[in-house]
Amino acid sequence: CSSNKNKLCCNYHQFATPAVSTPSSFSLNYLSLKQLQLEGYLKFDNLEHAAKDFGNRCHFLPLAVLYPKSVSDISSTIKHVFEIGSKTDLTVAARGHGHSLEGQAQAYQGVVISMESLQTPAMKFKTGELPYVDVSAGELWINILKESLKLGLAPKSWTDYLHLTVGGTLSNAGISGQAFRHGPQINNVQQLEVVTGKGEVITCSEEQNADLFHGVLGGLGQFGIITRARIALETAPKQVKWIRVLYSDFSIFSNDQEHLISTQDTFDYIEGFVTINQTGLLNNWRSAFNPKDPVLASNFSSEGRVLFCLEIAKYFNPEVTDSIDQNIDVILSKLNYIRSTLFLSEVSYTEFLDRVHVSEMKLQENVSHPWLNLLIPKSRILEFAQQVFGKILTDTSNGPLLIYPVNKSKWRKGTSMVTPDEDVFYLIAFLSSAMSSSTGNDGLRHILAQSKRILNFCEETNIGMKQYLPNYKTKEEWKDHFGHQWEAFARRKSTYDPLAILAPGQRIFRRAE
Ligand code: FAD
């Protein structure tokens, strides 16, 4: 692991047992895996890609990568690792699209399963009333969108970026601007097929094996590998009116966001972002958006200011909707944004949902992504904003800073996903890119120090924050994160993955010896 050279990388050693590096355990693992009869195959060399992820800060080389052709390949491999039990300390990690941030889909000297290789089942749609699609969990959301649109259908809830796998986002939650209405992606799943840490293949849903179903949703890959998911669909719109407006006062901005997520006559997508000291902000928008009033917009200056952008969208079908603009005007008239900053655009539904793909940073050797995602209860959001935006964080040049509220009432109950204890809470995503070699404000050290200050502030003020895409190092921190849900989480681990074989990169449980 390159972490030995760089203290800013994650530290595996706390979880590595001495046996990992001994030649005898290496040979045992290697030889025993070689004997497996599979429809797909295991690869033991050129595995560097499996030791990389979007975060680009953790690099744990596995012993092998499994390219499964069938669910039984996954089941046989895990069963084998389970049966040799404590003779080895082999672990197994499902790797979706590898867009984790801190090595969560990696397994040091273990087996990484390339989920995108699992092409079965082929996507199977049920149309008519209550439509759904059955997909392989290694499928990318962008492919599901493209295939469902051919039938005039689409999933209801998304992530901002669609080149992620179903299994990867369901292991977290899958949150975007539709979550206020439909809940996160884990709400819009009706059934799963899961291979547990003992190698059993189990179908689960609200009605069947509900404990496993709830555990796996938001379960950080701890209880099983999702191999198939049944995703609820709805009639897809064709076009989207995409709108941005600015605020200079956080309370007015957040009041408007909270109003929009609480009324029926509202937008279909509600997000927002913060910009701090951005030069020519509105000018930059002009490539994709049109100002409602170009003259007033050109006089607006963003320099040196903390501004809050409400980003909203209304879906429609031009063949059946003729009053979309009037409808939008009515909703906008109830908001209190700076009138000169109204920018509008019209795009296809696919262009809208796939909007982040064009700007996604490539996996570059010298760029890392020390992202921080927080969930903050509504009652403390003003305090958070006052302390963080413009004080701890004095500019947003290192990457976007998203902020939007969601309704907990729309969240499925009993899943492993942890949220703050309030009916409405905000997702705040600090999506920074860092130059590994820089010692300046764009450097990893600076950004990590800033994140630490934000986390310290949350802790000192007991603000009720929960991390999304959580990243902790010690069991105590994990217990704290899960709070009253810890007992159920630990019980499910001992039921479904008693040897702690699965998803070692989350660093929650230690492999049983
Ligand atoms: P991986 O990184 O491959 O895996 C993530 C974790 O899930 C690992 O622990 C892995 O072992 C486990 N896992 C993977 N597949 C399976 C499976 N089939 N069964 C069980 N466990 C599995 N999240 C949001 O909620 N909303 C967003 O808008 C959003 N936008 C993003 C934009 C970008 C550019 C990036 C990089 C990430 C974004 N994320 C967002 C976070 C993203 O949802 C998670 O990082 C997700 O885990 C990535 O999916 P993946 O397929 O790359 O998973």
Side-chain angles (χ1 to χ4, degrees):
C1 168
S2 64
S3 64
N4 290 344
K5 288 179 241 145
N6 185 349
K7 286 202 180 99
L8 299 173
C9 287
C10 35
N11 181 358
Y12 180 81
H13 304 289
Q14 184 189 356
F15 280 77
T17 58
V20 163
S21 52
T22 64
S24 57
S25 112
F26 173 84
S27 317
L28 174 65
N29 294 341
Y30 174 76
L31 292 173
S32 70
L33 285 171
K34 276 235 137 191
Q35 287 164 10
L36 281 171
Q37 300 289 315
L38 302 167
E39 290 170 57
Y41 62 97
L42 277 157
K43 202 162 180 288
F44 294 88
D45 54 7
N46 297 321
L47 307 180
E48 287 73 18
H49 66 282
K52 283 186 183 157
D53 59 25
F54 185 82
N56 203 16
R57 294 176 53 213
C58 294
H59 305 284
F60 303 134
L61 205 60
L63 173 67
V65 173
L66 170 66
Y67 294 88
K69 237 187 169 168
S70 62
V71 173
S72 109
D73 282 352
I74 296 177
S75 156
S76 309
T77 305
I78 298 180
K79 204 172 264 171
H80 170 76
V81 174
F82 180 69
E83 279 167 5
I84 51 177
S86 54
K87 281 192 228 138
T88 87
D89 46 14
L90 262 183
T91 53
V92 177
R95 177 184 164 92
H97 205 49
H99 270 44
S100 287
L101 302 165
E102 308 261 356
Q104 284 93 338
Q106 299 178 27
Y108 178 57
Q109 287 300 299
V111 180
V112 167
I113 304 182
S114 166
M115 293 305 296
E116 283 188 74
S117 308
L118 183 69
Q119 298 287 334
T120 53
M123 260 185 248
K124 202 163 141 207
F125 288 88
K126 179 199 165 273
T127 54
E129 226 181 299
L130 305 176
Y132 62 75
V133 59
D134 278 323
V135 296
S136 157
E139 196 59 78
L140 297 178
W141 284 98
I142 181 71
N143 297 335
I144 300 172
L145 174 66
K146 285 180 181 161
E147 288 306 307
S148 356
L149 282 180
K150 290 178 187 166
L151 298 167
L153 298 167
K156 301 172 183 177
S157 192
W158 297 96
T159 44
D160 293 343
Y161 177 64
L162 305 187
H163 299 248
L164 306 169
T165 66
V166 168
T169 68
L170 294 184
S171 298
N172 286 294
I175 310 173
S176 184
Q178 304 83 7
F180 79 94
R181 173 172 286 156
H182 296 294
Q185 289 179 324
I186 55 172
N187 273 52
N188 295 284
V189 175
Q190 297 169 347
Q191 190 189 75
L192 297 172
E193 179 187 75
V194 173
V195 181
T196 67
K198 299 183 215 168
E200 307 151 309
V201 183
I202 299 181
T203 301
C204 57
S205 64
E206 287 287 356
E207 292 78 33
Q208 189 185 3
N209 300 309
D211 185 62
L212 178 62
F213 183 65
H214 288 139
V216 166
L217 295 173
L220 307 174
Q222 293 304 304
F223 313 119
I225 294 186
I226 307 168
T227 47
R228 179 178 57 78
R230 177 166 294 174
I231 296 157
L233 302 173
E234 64 180 2
T235 304
K238 292 210 164 108
Q239 290 292 111
V240 176
K241 295 272 185 187
W242 185 10
I243 301 164
R244 285 180 177 173
V245 291
L246 286 176
Y247 298 74
S248 54
D249 183 302
F250 183 79
S251 313
I252 300 176
F253 164 73
S254 60
N255 279 345
D256 275 359
Q257 280 191 321
E258 287 170 22
H259 159 73
L260 287 173
I261 68 157
S262 67
T263 65
Q264 286 301 317
D265 194 17
T266 189
F267 292 97
D268 297 299
Y269 158 99
I270 300 166
E271 286 203 7
F273 56 89
V274 186
T275 73
I276 307 174
N277 197 13
Q278 299 282 287
T279 311
L281 177 69
L282 293 191
N283 228 9
N284 298 341
W285 289 0
R286 283 172 193 262
S287 58
F289 291 85
N290 297 312
K292 176 96 176 178
D293 187 328
V295 179
L296 282 181
S298 58
N299 290 334
F300 185 86
S301 168
S302 53
E303 232 163 302
R305 303 175 71 177
V306 180
L307 293 165
F308 307 98
C309 174
L310 174 67
E311 182 171 71
I312 42 200
K314 192 87 180 160
Y315 304 159
F316 70 108
N317 191 337
E319 289 135 39
V320 290
T321 327
D322 55 7
S323 55
I324 185 74
D325 289 329
Q326 291 95 308
N327 183 220
I328 288 174
D329 283 347
V330 170
I331 308 174
L332 285 177
S333 69
K334 296 182 184 137
L335 305 181
N336 297 299
Y337 58 89
I338 304 168
R339 294 290 163 202
S340 60
T341 64
L342 173 58
F343 275 64
L344 305 119
S345 170
E346 187 179 322
V347 290
S348 73
Y349 190 48
T350 307
E351 270 177 276
F352 175 70
L353 289 179
D354 202 22
R355 64 197 176 279
V356 175
H357 191 45
V358 272
S359 56
E360 187 230 348
M361 295 285 240
K362 296 271 175 303
L363 280 178
Q364 295 164 11
E365 286 303 323
N366 54 349
V367 174
S368 56
H369 295 106
W371 287 8
L372 180 67
N373 287 270
L374 308 177
L375 305 174
I376 303 283
K378 169 184 150 176
S379 66
R380 308 292 295 275
I381 194 65
L382 182 58
E383 195 181 335
F384 181 90
Q386 282 168 342
Q387 186 59 30
V388 176
F389 308 146
K391 284 195 187 159
I392 296 181
L393 197 69
T394 50
D395 70 71
T396 46
S397 56
N398 290 324
L401 198 182
L402 309 185
I403 177 163
Y404 56 93
V406 289
N407 294 313
K408 191 160 168 171
S409 61
K410 306 285 178 185
W411 239 251
R412 179 177 241 143
K413 290 194 176 57
T415 70
S416 295
M417 165 73 185
V418 176
T419 57
D421 274 339
E422 269 184 34
D423 292 344
V424 172
F425 57 87
Y426 280 77
L427 172 72
I428 300 148
F430 299 85
L431 308 179
S432 313
S433 298
M435 301 302 294
S436 309
S437 53
S438 168
T439 51
N441 285 358
D442 59 350
L444 187 56
R445 197 172 288 276
H446 173 78
I447 294 169
L448 290 177
Q450 228 161 26
S451 298
K452 186 97 186 79
R453 282 183 68 197
I454 295 168
L455 290 171
N456 285 348
F457 163 73
C458 290
E459 199 179 323
E460 281 155 18
T461 53
N462 205 8
I463 210 163
M465 176 277 285
K466 292 291 176 190
Q467 277 193 33
Y468 178 53
L469 311 174
N471 169 39
Y472 292 108
K473 303 275 184 294
T474 67
K475 193 156 226 169
E476 291 321 304
E477 288 172 326
W478 279 112
K479 279 187 178 171
D480 219 39
H481 169 74
F482 282 103
H484 64 87
Q485 288 172 240
W486 172 254
E487 217 175 293
F489 199 80
R491 175 191 51 79
R492 283 172 174 154
K493 186 70 175 175
S494 60
T495 306
Y496 302 112
D497 181 23
L499 298 185
I501 288 165
L502 300 176
Q506 299 279 3
R507 283 165 265 148
I508 306 173
F509 298 98
R510 192 191 283 265
R511 170 74 158 94
E513 290 164 43

